[in-house]
PDB file of all heavy atoms in Angstrom:
ATOM      1  N   ALA J   1      26.713 -11.713   0.890  1.00  0.00           N
ATOM      2  CA  ALA J   1      27.452 -11.781   2.154  1.00  0.00           C
ATOM      3  C   ALA J   1      26.923 -12.898   3.040  1.00  0.00           C
ATOM      4  O   ALA J   1      25.730 -13.220   3.008  1.00  0.00           O
ATOM      5  CB  ALA J   1      27.333 -10.447   2.895  1.00  0.00           C
ATOM      6  N   PRO J   2      27.780 -13.499   3.862  1.00  0.00           N
ATOM      7  CA  PRO J   2      27.291 -14.443   4.870  1.00  0.00           C
ATOM      8  C   PRO J   2      26.448 -13.700   5.905  1.00  0.00           C
ATOM      9  O   PRO J   2      26.721 -12.544   6.239  1.00  0.00           O
ATOM     10  CB  PRO J   2      28.569 -15.004   5.481  1.00  0.00           C
ATOM     11  CG  PRO J   2      29.618 -13.976   5.199  1.00  0.00           C
ATOM     12  CD  PRO J   2      29.244 -13.335   3.899  1.00  0.00           C
ATOM     13  N   LEU J   3      25.413 -14.377   6.398  1.00  0.00           N
ATOM     14  CA  LEU J   3      24.479 -13.781   7.347  1.00  0.00           C
ATOM     15  C   LEU J   3      24.551 -14.491   8.692  1.00  0.00           C
ATOM     16  O   LEU J   3      24.702 -15.714   8.761  1.00  0.00           O
ATOM     17  CB  LEU J   3      23.045 -13.882   6.826  1.00  0.00           C
ATOM     18  CG  LEU J   3      22.721 -13.312   5.447  1.00  0.00           C
ATOM     19  CD1 LEU J   3      21.256 -13.574   5.118  1.00  0.00           C
ATOM     20  CD2 LEU J   3      23.034 -11.828   5.383  1.00  0.00           C
ATOM     21  N   LEU J   4      24.403 -13.715   9.755  1.00  0.00           N
ATOM     22  CA  LEU J   4      24.205 -14.245  11.107  1.00  0.00           C
ATOM     23  C   LEU J   4      22.928 -13.608  11.627  1.00  0.00           C
ATOM     24  O   LEU J   4      22.814 -12.380  11.655  1.00  0.00           O
ATOM     25  CB  LEU J   4      25.389 -13.899  12.009  1.00  0.00           C
ATOM     26  CG  LEU J   4      25.266 -14.322  13.477  1.00  0.00           C
ATOM     27  CD1 LEU J   4      25.137 -15.833  13.611  1.00  0.00           C
ATOM     28  CD2 LEU J   4      26.470 -13.810  14.283  1.00  0.00           C
ATOM     29  N   ILE J   5      21.983 -14.434  12.038  1.00  0.00           N
ATOM     30  CA  ILE J   5      20.652 -13.938  12.368  1.00  0.00           C
ATOM     31  C   ILE J   5      20.267 -14.405  13.770  1.00  0.00           C
ATOM     32  O   ILE J   5      20.314 -15.600  14.074  1.00  0.00           O
ATOM     33  CB  ILE J   5      19.616 -14.433  11.337  1.00  0.00           C
ATOM     34  CG1 ILE J   5      20.104 -14.113   9.920  1.00  0.00           C
ATOM     35  CG2 ILE J   5      18.261 -13.787  11.583  1.00  0.00           C
ATOM     36  CD1 ILE J   5      19.382 -14.873   8.834  1.00  0.00           C
ATOM     37  N   HIS J   6      19.897 -13.449  14.614  1.00  0.00           N
ATOM     38  CA  HIS J   6      19.520 -13.738  15.993  1.00  0.00           C
ATOM     39  C   HIS J   6      18.019 -13.490  16.169  1.00  0.00           C
ATOM     40  O   HIS J   6      17.513 -12.415  15.805  1.00  0.00           O
ATOM     41  CB  HIS J   6      20.278 -12.845  16.967  1.00  0.00           C
ATOM     42  CG  HIS J   6      21.771 -12.966  16.883  1.00  0.00           C
ATOM     43  ND1 HIS J   6      22.447 -14.129  17.188  1.00  0.00           N
ATOM     44  CD2 HIS J   6      22.733 -12.056  16.534  1.00  0.00           C
ATOM     45  CE1 HIS J   6      23.750 -13.940  17.042  1.00  0.00           C
ATOM     46  NE2 HIS J   6      23.947 -12.694  16.638  1.00  0.00           N
ATOM     47  N   PHE J   7      17.331 -14.462  16.752  1.00  0.00           N
ATOM     48  CA  PHE J   7      15.899 -14.354  17.003  1.00  0.00           C
ATOM     49  C   PHE J   7      15.598 -14.490  18.488  1.00  0.00           C
ATOM     50  O   PHE J   7      16.234 -15.273  19.190  1.00  0.00           O
ATOM     51  CB  PHE J   7      15.128 -15.468  16.275  1.00  0.00           C
ATOM     52  CG  PHE J   7      15.168 -15.394  14.791  1.00  0.00           C
ATOM     53  CD1 PHE J   7      16.036 -16.195  14.062  1.00  0.00           C
ATOM     54  CD2 PHE J   7      14.327 -14.530  14.097  1.00  0.00           C
ATOM     55  CE1 PHE J   7      16.068 -16.140  12.687  1.00  0.00           C
ATOM     56  CE2 PHE J   7      14.350 -14.470  12.715  1.00  0.00           C
ATOM     57  CZ  PHE J   7      15.233 -15.270  12.004  1.00  0.00           C
ATOM     58  N   ALA J   8      14.620 -13.733  18.943  1.00  0.00           N
ATOM     59  CA  ALA J   8      14.099 -13.915  20.295  1.00  0.00           C
ATOM     60  C   ALA J   8      13.055 -15.024  20.275  1.00  0.00           C
ATOM     61  O   ALA J   8      12.230 -15.093  19.354  1.00  0.00           O
ATOM     62  CB  ALA J   8      13.477 -12.618  20.801  1.00  0.00           C
ATOM     63  N   GLY J   9      13.078 -15.855  21.280  1.00  0.00           N
ATOM     64  CA  GLY J   9      12.155 -16.986  21.298  1.00  0.00           C
ATOM     65  C   GLY J   9      10.699 -16.590  21.365  1.00  0.00           C
ATOM     66  O   GLY J   9       9.836 -17.266  20.795  1.00  0.00           O
ATOM     67  N   LEU J  10      10.387 -15.486  22.066  1.00  0.00           N
ATOM     68  CA  LEU J  10       9.001 -15.058  22.273  1.00  0.00           C
ATOM     69  C   LEU J  10       8.648 -13.872  21.377  1.00  0.00           C
ATOM     70  O   LEU J  10       8.005 -12.927  21.800  1.00  0.00           O
ATOM     71  CB  LEU J  10       8.785 -14.694  23.744  1.00  0.00           C
ATOM     72  CG  LEU J  10       9.080 -15.813  24.750  1.00  0.00           C
ATOM     73  CD1 LEU J  10       8.929 -15.307  26.176  1.00  0.00           C
ATOM     74  CD2 LEU J  10       8.178 -17.014  24.510  1.00  0.00           C
ATOM     75  N   ASP J  11       9.057 -13.953  20.127  1.00  0.00           N
ATOM     76  CA  ASP J  11       8.900 -12.841  19.194  1.00  0.00           C
ATOM     77  C   ASP J  11       8.132 -13.310  17.959  1.00  0.00           C
ATOM     78  O   ASP J  11       8.670 -13.377  16.856  1.00  0.00           O
ATOM     79  CB  ASP J  11      10.282 -12.301  18.805  1.00  0.00           C
ATOM     80  CG  ASP J  11      10.230 -10.969  18.080  1.00  0.00           C
ATOM     81  OD1 ASP J  11       9.125 -10.401  17.949  1.00  0.00           O
ATOM     82  OD2 ASP J  11      11.289 -10.504  17.642  1.00  0.00           O
ATOM     83  N   GLU J  12       6.854 -13.612  18.163  1.00  0.00           N
ATOM     84  CA  GLU J  12       6.062 -14.180  17.077  1.00  0.00           C
ATOM     85  C   GLU J  12       5.970 -13.245  15.871  1.00  0.00           C
ATOM     86  O   GLU J  12       5.932 -13.694  14.723  1.00  0.00           O
ATOM     87  CB  GLU J  12       4.654 -14.528  17.579  1.00  0.00           C
ATOM     88  CG  GLU J  12       4.627 -15.638  18.615  1.00  0.00           C
ATOM     89  CD  GLU J  12       3.218 -15.974  19.062  1.00  0.00           C
ATOM     90  OE1 GLU J  12       2.264 -15.402  18.493  1.00  0.00           O
ATOM     91  OE2 GLU J  12       3.078 -16.801  19.978  1.00  0.00           O
ATOM     92  N   ARG J  13       5.938 -11.952  16.132  1.00  0.00           N
ATOM     93  CA  ARG J  13       5.789 -10.978  15.041  1.00  0.00           C
ATOM     94  C   ARG J  13       6.924 -11.109  14.023  1.00  0.00           C
ATOM     95  O   ARG J  13       6.692 -11.093  12.821  1.00  0.00           O
ATOM     96  CB  ARG J  13       5.773  -9.560  15.639  1.00  0.00           C
ATOM     97  CG  ARG J  13       5.632  -8.447  14.629  1.00  0.00           C
ATOM     98  CD  ARG J  13       5.554  -7.098  15.339  1.00  0.00           C
ATOM     99  NE  ARG J  13       6.721  -6.865  16.189  1.00  0.00           N
ATOM    100  CZ  ARG J  13       7.882  -6.374  15.739  1.00  0.00           C
ATOM    101  NH1 ARG J  13       8.015  -6.069  14.466  1.00  0.00           N
ATOM    102  NH2 ARG J  13       8.888  -6.183  16.567  1.00  0.00           N
ATOM    103  N   ILE J  14       8.154 -11.240  14.480  1.00  0.00           N
ATOM    104  CA  ILE J  14       9.307 -11.364  13.583  1.00  0.00           C
ATOM    105  C   ILE J  14       9.485 -12.806  13.117  1.00  0.00           C
ATOM    106  O   ILE J  14       9.744 -13.074  11.928  1.00  0.00           O
ATOM    107  CB  ILE J  14      10.587 -10.872  14.287  1.00  0.00           C
ATOM    108  CG1 ILE J  14      10.516  -9.360  14.540  1.00  0.00           C
ATOM    109  CG2 ILE J  14      11.827 -11.220  13.456  1.00  0.00           C
ATOM    110  CD1 ILE J  14      10.442  -8.511  13.297  1.00  0.00           C
ATOM    111  N   ASN J  15       9.340 -13.739  14.026  1.00  0.00           N
ATOM    112  CA  ASN J  15       9.648 -15.133  13.711  1.00  0.00           C
ATOM    113  C   ASN J  15       8.716 -15.742  12.661  1.00  0.00           C
ATOM    114  O   ASN J  15       9.101 -16.667  11.945  1.00  0.00           O
ATOM    115  CB  ASN J  15       9.607 -15.973  14.983  1.00  0.00           C
ATOM    116  CG  ASN J  15      10.650 -15.535  16.001  1.00  0.00           C
ATOM    117  OD1 ASN J  15      11.516 -14.729  15.705  1.00  0.00           O
ATOM    118  ND2 ASN J  15      10.556 -16.065  17.212  1.00  0.00           N
ATOM    119  N   ALA J  16       7.513 -15.200  12.554  1.00  0.00           N
ATOM    120  CA  ALA J  16       6.539 -15.794  11.631  1.00  0.00           C
ATOM    121  C   ALA J  16       6.993 -15.734  10.180  1.00  0.00           C
ATOM    122  O   ALA J  16       6.649 -16.617   9.377  1.00  0.00           O
ATOM    123  CB  ALA J  16       5.192 -15.083  11.786  1.00  0.00           C
ATOM    124  N   SER J  17       7.773 -14.728   9.821  1.00  0.00           N
ATOM    125  CA  SER J  17       8.175 -14.570   8.429  1.00  0.00           C
ATOM    126  C   SER J  17       9.496 -15.270   8.097  1.00  0.00           C
ATOM    127  O   SER J  17       9.911 -15.287   6.926  1.00  0.00           O
ATOM    128  CB  SER J  17       8.292 -13.082   8.070  1.00  0.00           C
ATOM    129  OG  SER J  17       9.300 -12.459   8.854  1.00  0.00           O
ATOM    130  N   TRP J  18      10.136 -15.855   9.092  1.00  0.00           N
ATOM    131  CA  TRP J  18      11.435 -16.468   8.865  1.00  0.00           C
ATOM    132  C   TRP J  18      11.394 -17.711   7.980  1.00  0.00           C
ATOM    133  O   TRP J  18      12.246 -17.857   7.083  1.00  0.00           O
ATOM    134  CB  TRP J  18      12.116 -16.779  10.194  1.00  0.00           C
ATOM    135  CG  TRP J  18      13.356 -17.624  10.081  1.00  0.00           C
ATOM    136  CD1 TRP J  18      13.590 -18.808  10.689  1.00  0.00           C
ATOM    137  CD2 TRP J  18      14.544 -17.338   9.330  1.00  0.00           C
ATOM    138  NE1 TRP J  18      14.831 -19.295  10.373  1.00  0.00           N
ATOM    139  CE2 TRP J  18      15.435 -18.409   9.540  1.00  0.00           C
ATOM    140  CE3 TRP J  18      14.927 -16.291   8.495  1.00  0.00           C
ATOM    141  CZ2 TRP J  18      16.704 -18.460   8.940  1.00  0.00           C
ATOM    142  CZ3 TRP J  18      16.190 -16.333   7.897  1.00  0.00           C
ATOM    143  CH2 TRP J  18      17.061 -17.409   8.120  1.00  0.00           C
ATOM    144  N   PRO J  19      10.485 -18.655   8.155  1.00  0.00           N
ATOM    145  CA  PRO J  19      10.527 -19.861   7.328  1.00  0.00           C
ATOM    146  C   PRO J  19      10.541 -19.580   5.828  1.00  0.00           C
ATOM    147  O   PRO J  19      11.299 -20.213   5.080  1.00  0.00           O
ATOM    148  CB  PRO J  19       9.263 -20.615   7.752  1.00  0.00           C
ATOM    149  CG  PRO J  19       9.037 -20.199   9.162  1.00  0.00           C
ATOM    150  CD  PRO J  19       9.408 -18.749   9.179  1.00  0.00           C
ATOM    151  N   ALA J  20       9.741 -18.636   5.377  1.00  0.00           N
ATOM    152  CA  ALA J  20       9.707 -18.323   3.942  1.00  0.00           C
ATOM    153  C   ALA J  20      11.028 -17.722   3.483  1.00  0.00           C
ATOM    154  O   ALA J  20      11.542 -18.071   2.403  1.00  0.00           O
ATOM    155  CB  ALA J  20       8.553 -17.368   3.636  1.00  0.00           C
ATOM    156  N   TYR J  21      11.593 -16.836   4.298  1.00  0.00           N
ATOM    157  CA  TYR J  21      12.848 -16.214   3.879  1.00  0.00           C
ATOM    158  C   TYR J  21      14.003 -17.208   3.979  1.00  0.00           C
ATOM    159  O   TYR J  21      14.898 -17.214   3.132  1.00  0.00           O
ATOM    160  CB  TYR J  21      13.146 -14.971   4.726  1.00  0.00           C
ATOM    161  CG  TYR J  21      14.212 -14.093   4.103  1.00  0.00           C
ATOM    162  CD1 TYR J  21      14.008 -13.522   2.852  1.00  0.00           C
ATOM    163  CD2 TYR J  21      15.422 -13.844   4.745  1.00  0.00           C
ATOM    164  CE1 TYR J  21      14.979 -12.722   2.260  1.00  0.00           C
ATOM    165  CE2 TYR J  21      16.399 -13.045   4.163  1.00  0.00           C
ATOM    166  CZ  TYR J  21      16.165 -12.489   2.919  1.00  0.00           C
ATOM    167  OH  TYR J  21      17.130 -11.696   2.325  1.00  0.00           O
ATOM    168  N   GLU J  22      13.972 -18.073   4.973  1.00  0.00           N
ATOM    169  CA  GLU J  22      15.006 -19.097   5.081  1.00  0.00           C
ATOM    170  C   GLU J  22      14.986 -20.014   3.866  1.00  0.00           C
ATOM    171  O   GLU J  22      16.041 -20.362   3.311  1.00  0.00           O
ATOM    172  CB  GLU J  22      14.838 -19.917   6.360  1.00  0.00           C
ATOM    173  CG  GLU J  22      15.916 -20.981   6.511  1.00  0.00           C
ATOM    174  CD  GLU J  22      15.771 -21.820   7.765  1.00  0.00           C
ATOM    175  OE1 GLU J  22      14.633 -22.005   8.221  1.00  0.00           O
ATOM    176  OE2 GLU J  22      16.802 -22.280   8.274  1.00  0.00           O
ATOM    177  N   ALA J  23      13.795 -20.398   3.445  1.00  0.00           N
ATOM    178  CA  ALA J  23      13.691 -21.252   2.260  1.00  0.00           C
ATOM    179  C   ALA J  23      14.277 -20.554   1.038  1.00  0.00           C
ATOM    180  O   ALA J  23      14.959 -21.182   0.210  1.00  0.00           O
ATOM    181  CB  ALA J  23      12.231 -21.618   2.010  1.00  0.00           C
ATOM    182  N   ALA J  24      14.047 -19.252   0.925  1.00  0.00           N
ATOM    183  CA  ALA J  24      14.587 -18.491  -0.209  1.00  0.00           C
ATOM    184  C   ALA J  24      16.107 -18.394  -0.128  1.00  0.00           C
ATOM    185  O   ALA J  24      16.798 -18.470  -1.149  1.00  0.00           O
ATOM    186  CB  ALA J  24      13.961 -17.101  -0.238  1.00  0.00           C
ATOM    187  N   LEU J  25      16.653 -18.218   1.090  1.00  0.00           N
ATOM    188  CA  LEU J  25      18.100 -18.180   1.251  1.00  0.00           C
ATOM    189  C   LEU J  25      18.723 -19.519   0.857  1.00  0.00           C
ATOM    190  O   LEU J  25      19.769 -19.558   0.189  1.00  0.00           O
ATOM    191  CB  LEU J  25      18.465 -17.835   2.700  1.00  0.00           C
ATOM    192  CG  LEU J  25      18.157 -16.418   3.192  1.00  0.00           C
ATOM    193  CD1 LEU J  25      18.427 -16.319   4.692  1.00  0.00           C
ATOM    194  CD2 LEU J  25      18.967 -15.368   2.434  1.00  0.00           C
ATOM    195  N   LYS J  26      18.108 -20.602   1.282  1.00  0.00           N
ATOM    196  CA  LYS J  26      18.611 -21.925   0.924  1.00  0.00           C
ATOM    197  C   LYS J  26      18.585 -22.123  -0.585  1.00  0.00           C
ATOM    198  O   LYS J  26      19.556 -22.618  -1.179  1.00  0.00           O
ATOM    199  CB  LYS J  26      17.772 -23.003   1.609  1.00  0.00           C
ATOM    200  CG  LYS J  26      18.004 -23.133   3.103  1.00  0.00           C
ATOM    201  CD  LYS J  26      17.151 -24.241   3.696  1.00  0.00           C
ATOM    202  CE  LYS J  26      17.420 -24.423   5.177  1.00  0.00           C
ATOM    203  NZ  LYS J  26      16.562 -25.486   5.772  1.00  0.00           N
ATOM    204  N   ALA J  27      17.492 -21.727  -1.210  1.00  0.00           N
ATOM    205  CA  ALA J  27      17.368 -21.890  -2.653  1.00  0.00           C
ATOM    206  C   ALA J  27      18.416 -21.080  -3.403  1.00  0.00           C
ATOM    207  O   ALA J  27      18.886 -21.480  -4.478  1.00  0.00           O
ATOM    208  CB  ALA J  27      15.966 -21.474  -3.108  1.00  0.00           C
ATOM    209  N   ALA J  28      18.806 -19.946  -2.830  1.00  0.00           N
ATOM    210  CA  ALA J  28      19.791 -19.072  -3.466  1.00  0.00           C
ATOM    211  C   ALA J  28      21.228 -19.458  -3.119  1.00  0.00           C
ATOM    212  O   ALA J  28      22.169 -18.860  -3.636  1.00  0.00           O
ATOM    213  CB  ALA J  28      19.536 -17.624  -3.057  1.00  0.00           C
ATOM    214  N   GLY J  29      21.401 -20.424  -2.232  1.00  0.00           N
ATOM    215  CA  GLY J  29      22.737 -20.858  -1.851  1.00  0.00           C
ATOM    216  C   GLY J  29      23.466 -19.879  -0.950  1.00  0.00           C
ATOM    217  O   GLY J  29      24.703 -19.864  -0.907  1.00  0.00           O
ATOM    218  N   VAL J  30      22.723 -19.076  -0.195  1.00  0.00           N
ATOM    219  CA  VAL J  30      23.326 -18.082   0.701  1.00  0.00           C
ATOM    220  C   VAL J  30      23.872 -18.770   1.952  1.00  0.00           C
ATOM    221  O   VAL J  30      23.238 -19.670   2.510  1.00  0.00           O
ATOM    222  CB  VAL J  30      22.288 -17.009   1.099  1.00  0.00           C
ATOM    223  CG1 VAL J  30      22.880 -16.048   2.126  1.00  0.00           C
ATOM    224  CG2 VAL J  30      21.808 -16.250  -0.134  1.00  0.00           C
ATOM    225  N   THR J  31      25.044 -18.344   2.386  1.00  0.00           N
ATOM    226  CA  THR J  31      25.622 -18.833   3.632  1.00  0.00           C
ATOM    227  C   THR J  31      25.003 -18.075   4.803  1.00  0.00           C
ATOM    228  O   THR J  31      25.098 -16.851   4.863  1.00  0.00           O
ATOM    229  CB  THR J  31      27.144 -18.632   3.647  1.00  0.00           C
ATOM    230  OG1 THR J  31      27.733 -19.360   2.561  1.00  0.00           O
ATOM    231  CG2 THR J  31      27.745 -19.113   4.962  1.00  0.00           C
ATOM    232  N   TYR J  32      24.359 -18.783   5.695  1.00  0.00           N
ATOM    233  CA  TYR J  32      23.729 -18.120   6.836  1.00  0.00           C
ATOM    234  C   TYR J  32      23.732 -19.039   8.043  1.00  0.00           C
ATOM    235  O   TYR J  32      23.781 -20.268   7.932  1.00  0.00           O
ATOM    236  CB  TYR J  32      22.282 -17.708   6.499  1.00  0.00           C
ATOM    237  CG  TYR J  32      21.311 -18.863   6.460  1.00  0.00           C
ATOM    238  CD1 TYR J  32      20.593 -19.242   7.598  1.00  0.00           C
ATOM    239  CD2 TYR J  32      21.128 -19.608   5.298  1.00  0.00           C
ATOM    240  CE1 TYR J  32      19.724 -20.315   7.581  1.00  0.00           C
ATOM    241  CE2 TYR J  32      20.260 -20.685   5.263  1.00  0.00           C
ATOM    242  CZ  TYR J  32      19.564 -21.037   6.408  1.00  0.00           C
ATOM    243  OH  TYR J  32      18.712 -22.114   6.388  1.00  0.00           O
ATOM    244  N   THR J  33      23.673 -18.416   9.214  1.00  0.00           N
ATOM    245  CA  THR J  33      23.510 -19.130  10.474  1.00  0.00           C
ATOM    246  C   THR J  33      22.440 -18.396  11.272  1.00  0.00           C
ATOM    247  O   THR J  33      22.490 -17.159  11.386  1.00  0.00           O
ATOM    248  CB  THR J  33      24.813 -19.152  11.288  1.00  0.00           C
ATOM    249  OG1 THR J  33      25.848 -19.759  10.502  1.00  0.00           O
ATOM    250  CG2 THR J  33      24.629 -19.933  12.577  1.00  0.00           C
ATOM    251  N   ALA J  34      21.478 -19.120  11.794  1.00  0.00           N
ATOM    252  CA  ALA J  34      20.394 -18.515  12.566  1.00  0.00           C
ATOM    253  C   ALA J  34      20.333 -19.151  13.947  1.00  0.00           C
ATOM    254  O   ALA J  34      20.473 -20.372  14.084  1.00  0.00           O
ATOM    255  CB  ALA J  34      19.066 -18.678  11.847  1.00  0.00           C
ATOM    256  N   HIS J  35      20.142 -18.313  14.953  1.00  0.00           N
ATOM    257  CA  HIS J  35      20.003 -18.788  16.328  1.00  0.00           C
ATOM    258  C   HIS J  35      18.734 -18.199  16.928  1.00  0.00           C
ATOM    259  O   HIS J  35      18.441 -17.018  16.756  1.00  0.00           O
ATOM    260  CB  HIS J  35      21.190 -18.333  17.183  1.00  0.00           C
ATOM    261  CG  HIS J  35      22.512 -18.846  16.732  1.00  0.00           C
ATOM    262  ND1 HIS J  35      22.922 -20.146  16.932  1.00  0.00           N
ATOM    263  CD2 HIS J  35      23.536 -18.215  16.086  1.00  0.00           C
ATOM    264  CE1 HIS J  35      24.138 -20.305  16.432  1.00  0.00           C
ATOM    265  NE2 HIS J  35      24.531 -19.151  15.914  1.00  0.00           N
ATOM    266  N   GLN J  36      17.992 -19.038  17.633  1.00  0.00           N
ATOM    267  CA  GLN J  36      16.845 -18.559  18.391  1.00  0.00           C
ATOM    268  C   GLN J  36      17.124 -18.794  19.877  1.00  0.00           C
ATOM    269  O   GLN J  36      17.560 -19.880  20.271  1.00  0.00           O
ATOM    270  CB  GLN J  36      15.557 -19.290  17.980  1.00  0.00           C
ATOM    271  CG  GLN J  36      14.321 -18.703  18.641  1.00  0.00           C
ATOM    272  CD  GLN J  36      13.029 -19.305  18.090  1.00  0.00           C
ATOM    273  OE1 GLN J  36      12.268 -19.924  18.831  1.00  0.00           O
ATOM    274  NE2 GLN J  36      12.784 -19.107  16.809  1.00  0.00           N
ATOM    275  N   TYR J  37      16.867 -17.754  20.683  1.00  0.00           N
ATOM    276  CA  TYR J  37      17.205 -17.786  22.104  1.00  0.00           C
ATOM    277  C   TYR J  37      15.921 -17.992  22.911  1.00  0.00           C
ATOM    278  O   TYR J  37      15.097 -17.079  23.033  1.00  0.00           O
ATOM    279  CB  TYR J  37      17.925 -16.491  22.486  1.00  0.00           C
ATOM    280  CG  TYR J  37      19.199 -16.321  21.691  1.00  0.00           C
ATOM    281  CD1 TYR J  37      19.168 -15.767  20.401  1.00  0.00           C
ATOM    282  CD2 TYR J  37      20.422 -16.766  22.187  1.00  0.00           C
ATOM    283  CE1 TYR J  37      20.326 -15.640  19.640  1.00  0.00           C
ATOM    284  CE2 TYR J  37      21.584 -16.639  21.434  1.00  0.00           C
ATOM    285  CZ  TYR J  37      21.527 -16.081  20.157  1.00  0.00           C
ATOM    286  OH  TYR J  37      22.673 -15.965  19.409  1.00  0.00           O
ATOM    287  N   ALA J  38      15.762 -19.194  23.415  1.00  0.00           N
ATOM    288  CA  ALA J  38      14.517 -19.612  24.059  1.00  0.00           C
ATOM    289  C   ALA J  38      14.152 -18.709  25.233  1.00  0.00           C
ATOM    290  O   ALA J  38      15.004 -18.323  26.047  1.00  0.00           O
ATOM    291  CB  ALA J  38      14.639 -21.054  24.538  1.00  0.00           C
ATOM    292  N   GLY J  39      12.875 -18.361  25.294  1.00  0.00           N
ATOM    293  CA  GLY J  39      12.354 -17.610  26.427  1.00  0.00           C
ATOM    294  C   GLY J  39      12.674 -16.134  26.421  1.00  0.00           C
ATOM    295  O   GLY J  39      12.335 -15.432  27.383  1.00  0.00           O
ATOM    296  N   THR J  40      13.298 -15.624  25.360  1.00  0.00           N
ATOM    297  CA  THR J  40      13.687 -14.210  25.332  1.00  0.00           C
ATOM    298  C   THR J  40      12.664 -13.364  24.587  1.00  0.00           C
ATOM    299  O   THR J  40      11.921 -13.848  23.739  1.00  0.00           O
ATOM    300  CB  THR J  40      15.061 -14.022  24.676  1.00  0.00           C
ATOM    301  OG1 THR J  40      15.011 -14.507  23.324  1.00  0.00           O
ATOM    302  CG2 THR J  40      16.136 -14.763  25.448  1.00  0.00           C
ATOM    303  N   GLN J  41      12.692 -12.072  24.902  1.00  0.00           N
ATOM    304  CA  GLN J  41      11.788 -11.099  24.295  1.00  0.00           C
ATOM    305  C   GLN J  41      12.468 -10.393  23.124  1.00  0.00           C
ATOM    306  O   GLN J  41      13.698 -10.288  23.067  1.00  0.00           O
ATOM    307  CB  GLN J  41      11.388 -10.036  25.333  1.00  0.00           C
ATOM    308  CG  GLN J  41      10.805 -10.581  26.612  1.00  0.00           C
ATOM    309  CD  GLN J  41       9.417 -11.171  26.431  1.00  0.00           C
ATOM    310  OE1 GLN J  41       8.657 -10.704  25.586  1.00  0.00           O
ATOM    311  NE2 GLN J  41       9.087 -12.168  27.222  1.00  0.00           N
TER     312      GLN J  41
END
């Protein structure tokens, strides 16, 4: 399925694991869009 992913800007706990998973999504050819909202919790 296509993915839409929302991140809080000040959310280090969640954001730290995103680069590895994003790389895996790209390698798998998954359709995704990710947004990070600056300054949010």
